[in-house]
Amino acid sequence: MSLKRITSGNNNEKMAVEILKGRFPGNAIKRYCSGDIRDTRKGMDISVEIGDVNLNYQVKPFSSVISFIDDEGDTF
């Protein structure tokens, strides 16, 4: 894996952590390093603890976002 790819991935994960801090203020957010088994084997880059529940995220690069909001207000 190239240094450029690792650096890009780290920057994307840092940005994702900042976004999650805004969405889940006051909750514990953990970011796993590139070699961590949770990252390499389980696809977990970031975990957010909300009470007894952990939300796990894998961060991927993207160039644009298209959102759809359904009649109930859920965003996809």
Side-chain angles (χ1 to χ4, degrees):
M1 188 177 291
S2 73
L3 181 58
K4 182 178 178 182
R5 187 171 167 191
I6 292 170
T7 301
S8 175
N10 283 334
N11 289 338
N12 287 337
E13 290 175 16
K14 288 177 187 178
M15 182 172 40
V17 166
E18 292 306 312
I19 291 168
L20 290 169
K21 284 180 182 179
R23 302 266 181 176
F24 303 103
N27 292 288
I29 298 175
K30 297 177 185 174
R31 180 174 165 243
Y32 304 112
C33 65
S34 298
D36 190 289
I37 194 164
R38 288 165 287 205
D39 180 35
T40 59
R41 302 291 172 133
K42 299 180 181 181
M44 297 166 48
D45 293 319
I46 300 169
S47 181
V48 180
E49 292 180 19
I50 303 174
D52 294 339
V53 176
N54 282 333
L55 302 176
N56 299 306
Y57 297 91
Q58 185 177 51
V59 178
K60 295 291 185 187
F62 57 89
S63 58
S64 66
V65 176
I66 299 171
S67 296
F68 169 76
I69 301 174
D70 69 11
D71 294 337
E72 296 175 2
D74 291 326
T75 304
F76 299 93

